Structures are given as structure tokens and as C-alpha cells.
Amino acid sequence: MVKDKMNLQELDKKYYLPTFKRFPITLVKGEGSKVWDDKGNEYIDALAGIAVNSLGHKHPAVVNAIKEQADKLIHISNFYLNEPQALLAEKLAKLSGLDKVFFGNSGAEAVEGAIKLARKYSHTKREGGDIISFTGCFHGRTLATIAMGKKKMQEGFEPMPGGFKQSEFNNLENVKATADDNTAAIIVEPIQGEGGIIPAEPEFLKGLREFCDEKDIVLIFDEIQCGIGRTGYIFAKDFYGVQPDILTSAKALGGGVPISAILCNNKIASAINPGDHGTTFGGNPLATAAALATLNEIEKENFLEKVKEKGKWFVEEIKKRDPKRVGMKEIRGMGLMLGIVFEFETKTLVQNMMELGVLANATAENVLRIVPPLTISKEELQKVIDVIFKAAEVIKKNA
């Protein structure tokens, strides 16, 4: 099964659709907050599969849950119930304060489903089904989700599906001007991820909730990246104290195993009938068992407080070191969902960091995204800080 290590990169280039600009390393194993490539090089993983591996790599609770479930039942049709699915639905409903759950496999799939639910409910009240999203948003790469996002991601994939409008993020008056009698739903990320780690202003989300209540518009929170403990709260909405009608979750939910969820209140659920939506793999026993194990760990005493504390410590440590001298302009985010804004594009910075043993990500051109495992130690975070400064110093020196 193992191919010649020298040929793996060649095989990838020959057979895999060229949709990713991959780094020239092949990762073969991981444990905790560290991963290793096929040459034995060690890296601190400050990307965590893009905010997926919240418990790190090879976490015993997740590994054991997968092993035990795989030994019993991996997949069945949703014509039949499986135990971990029922238990996970109950747990998510109780954690979120919402009433009903539907499981899928990816974040984009959850957003697509949320749009369907919102429109189905809205059509009990009005004819229109327009969805309002926001500047800087990212909700996935399917046709409907790119129709809500940046124009650049739509190029070459026209015609775009209709029924989508965009408003200015953190500008409530602009939302009110954009909405009309055909507006079915407003979808927003409490913290924009791909957009550059930009938190919503508290008054903006509260204002959206009030406006949606007034106009009977469905409010959707996309918590695919910012949910499941990433901010130091189970859901980012809990920090803001704003309850959506629909919430989407994915990424960290399965601890590395693909799973997504759509959560909604009874108002939305009342419009849904058998056959309105479905899935083959969503909510399978293996994925839901992994998600249960992940949530059980995140729910443990002081886990979320430690996430908040480590995030605050990380920011304070950076500020102690005269960040402006290496081109840092601002640090945004919450918990361990952090974006460091630089005065230069960050792609080269990420390459330099990888060569120094830390994996991270460049987003929104000049933002360094730091979304490590929530279990990362302060010692490991200290190395991440050291490497960021060292890698940035090289860029500033060569500028």
C-alpha cells in the first residue's frame, strides 16, 4: 500500500485534480499538536486541518470511539436509527438551546441544507426566497455557497444560482436597506474565518436578531469554523448572547472525522416534512460516535476556560515583543481563533514558518491565521510565537 516516498508528490500531480496549491511536504503521522512528514521532520500544527483537529492528533478518546464503533457498525441507511446519532442529536440540542438537528458530511452541505430549511419556512409566509450574506463571507465552494461569497470565487462557474444578495458586514443599516419583502433569510458568520478572522460587533448581531424578529426573516449563524469550542465557548453565539433560528456546524465537530450538523428551532422545523431533505452518509454511526467523544472532551471542566486563557496569553505575549518591528498591524479574533494582520502578504511568511517547523495559513492576503488544536500547550504556543517573529524578520530584512 505504501508507495515509494519519492514518488508520492509526483503521483499527486499526475492523478489529483489541481485544486490545491499544496506545500511540498507529505504528512504521515500526528500526535497532540505535532505532525511529522515522510522525511521525519517535526512540525507544530497551528492550523489543525483548518480548525478541524480541535483535540489534536491521535486523541485517545476519539481514536477509541472510532475503533469501538467500527467494530460494531460503520454505516446504515437513515431509514433506520443508530444509537450514537440519537445521542449526538440530543447533546447538540441541549448544548445549543435549539430544538432539532440534521446531520451531513461537510460545512458547505450544512449551509446548503440551512438555505433549504430557511426557504421552506419562508414560503409558508411569503413567495420570495432571497438570502442575504455579507461582504468578506465564506460559506463553502458549492454553487449556492459561492453565489453568496466573493465574486472572484464565482469566475468561470456562471451562471450563478439566483436568489442571493450581499450586504456590508457589521453595518445594520445597510442590511435593512438590502432586505425587502422577498427576503427569506440572513446568513452570517459570528467571526468571519476566510475573510480574515473578523469578529462581528455585538450590537450588529443583536440588531440582526431584532430586525429578523420584526420582519419574520430567518437568522442563520454559520459556526462551521468558529464553533465547537474554538472561541472558548461551545458556540460563538454564546459569547454574543444571540440565538439564531438555524446554526450550521462542521469542521471540529467530529474531531477529524467528516461530519456536519444543521441545528434549528421548532419554528423552522415545523415547516419540514419527510422527503424535504436527506443524506446517504450524514449521521452515520462512525462519524457520530467520533463527534460524541469530541464533545465529551470539550465539555470537561475548565476545558473552555483554558482555551480562553491560552488565546489571551498568546495575544499578550506577542504584544510584549514589539510586533510592529516585524510588520504586524493588528491581532483579531477570540479564544484560539486568531488572525494576525501584517503590512505585507502572508503567503511567504507561511512558507518561512513551515521551514522553521510550524504549520499555519495565510488568508485574506495579509492575515496569518492561527487555529491550533485547542489542547495545544503554552510551550508549543511559545514556539509558534518565536517562529512567527523569526519568519517575519526575514521578510522585513529582505524587503
Side-chain angles (χ1 to χ4, degrees):
M1 183 174 177
V2 179
K3 292 278 186 181
D4 185 335
K5 293 177 183 177
M6 293 177 61
N7 293 328
L8 286 174
Q9 295 287 335
E10 295 173 16
L11 286 173
D12 179 62
K13 290 177 182 177
K14 184 175 181 180
Y15 293 109
Y16 198 89
L17 199 66
T19 55
F20 303 108
K21 290 184 179 179
R22 298 194 200 269
F23 291 98
I25 61 173
T26 301
L27 300 179
V28 295
K29 67 175 183 177
E31 185 167 358
S33 298
K34 295 178 180 178
V35 290
W36 288 263
D37 67 19
D38 57 1
K39 295 181 176 62
N41 297 310
E42 179 184 288
Y43 306 87
I44 291 179
D45 186 2
L47 183 59
I50 314 180
V52 169
N53 302 311
S54 55
L55 299 181
H57 301 273
K58 198 180 171 183
H59 192 283
V62 177
V63 171
N64 290 335
I66 292 170
K67 286 180 177 178
E68 291 172 10
Q69 187 59 49
D71 195 45
K72 293 187 288 187
L73 191 66
I74 293 176
H75 175 78
I76 57 172
S77 164
N78 274 301
F79 286 127
Y80 317 102
L81 181 63
N82 71 76
E83 181 182 355
Q85 183 187 104
L87 295 175
L88 181 60
E90 177 192 35
K91 183 177 285 289
L92 283 172
K94 289 183 176 180
L95 287 173
S96 67
L98 292 165
D99 303 301
K100 301 290 184 183
V101 182
F102 179 90
F103 293 114
N105 309 284
S106 68
E109 186 181 334
V111 172
E112 289 257 8
I115 293 168
K116 285 183 68 177
L117 267 61
R119 283 181 169 167
K120 187 69 190 298
Y121 169 78
S122 183
H123 286 164
T124 67
K125 307 291 181 179
R126 58 177 67 85
E127 290 185 7
D130 289 351
I131 310 294
I132 296 176
S133 60
F134 292 95
T135 53
C137 75
F138 180 84
H139 298 290
R141 293 183 184 273
T142 59
L143 279 174
T145 52
I146 65 172
M148 293 189 287
K150 298 176 182 177
K151 292 292 183 184
K152 184 178 180 181
M153 290 188 176
Q154 300 172 10
E155 293 174 2
F157 301 106
E158 300 88 354
M160 285 292 107
F164 297 99
K165 296 181 177 181
Q166 199 167 81
S167 186
E168 187 177 334
F169 188 59
N170 275 329
N171 186 333
L172 185 60
E173 293 308 310
N174 190 248
V175 176
K176 292 178 179 179
T178 304
D180 57 28
D181 291 341
N182 291 318
T183 303
I186 296 171
I187 183 168
V188 62
E189 300 160 89
I191 302 177
Q192 291 189 336
E194 294 292 327
I197 316 296
I198 304 174
E201 295 172 2
E203 292 308 312
F204 175 63
L205 292 187
K206 290 175 183 176
L208 283 181
R209 178 70 275 174
E210 292 171 2
F211 179 66
C212 287
D213 287 340
E214 178 188 341
K215 301 294 184 180
D216 201 7
I217 294 171
V218 178
L219 181 60
I220 305 170
F221 278 7
D222 180 342
E223 293 225 19
I224 287 161
Q225 188 167 154
C226 65
I228 314 298
R230 175 57 52 188
T231 63
Y233 298 83
I234 287 288
F235 296 106
K237 72 176 184 66
D238 300 328
F239 166 77
Y240 289 99
V242 178
Q243 185 75 324
D245 299 300
I246 301 175
L247 183 147
T248 59
S249 178
K251 286 193 179 288
L253 181 57
V257 175
I259 184 173
S260 65
I262 309 167
L263 289 68
C264 70
N265 57 28
N266 280 326
K267 180 180 79 171
I268 303 300
S270 68
I272 305 302
N273 300 307
D276 280 346
H277 199 45
T279 176
T280 296
F281 293 107
N284 68 73
L286 190 71
T288 49
L292 272 171
T294 300
L295 287 174
N296 285 339
E297 290 298 309
I298 291 174
E299 280 187 286
K300 286 185 175 178
E301 187 177 3
N302 295 325
F303 185 96
L304 293 174
E305 289 304 314
K306 289 178 181 177
V307 173
K308 294 173 192 171
E309 194 274 330
K310 282 185 281 192
K312 182 180 178 182
W313 176 87
F314 185 87
V315 172
E316 289 175 347
E317 285 298 305
I318 285 179
K319 289 181 176 178
K320 288 178 182 177
R321 297 175 63 162
D322 188 18
K324 288 185 179 179
R325 69 181 171 82
V326 294
M328 292 186 196
K329 297 170 65 178
E330 182 185 4
I331 305 176
R332 301 190 292 239
M334 189 185 307
L336 287 172
M337 183 178 181
L338 299 168
I340 305 174
V341 184
F342 282 84
E343 62 188 35
F344 48 78
E345 290 190 6
T346 49
K347 288 182 179 179
T348 301
L349 176 67
V350 169
Q351 178 71 36
N352 292 350
M353 289 176 62
M354 184 189 73
E355 293 170 1
L356 293 168
V358 172
L359 304 183
N361 173 249
T363 189
E365 296 186 354
N366 67 330
V367 179
L368 179 70
R369 175 164 44 181
I370 301 294
V371 283
L374 304 182
T375 52
I376 193 170
S377 68
K378 281 187 178 179
E379 290 74 21
E380 289 165 329
L381 284 172
Q382 185 64 65
K383 181 177 178 181
V384 172
I385 293 171
D386 292 342
V387 166
I388 291 171
F389 274 83
K390 189 173 182 179
E393 283 170 357
V394 172
I395 292 174
K396 287 288 287 183
K397 184 178 179 181
N398 295 332

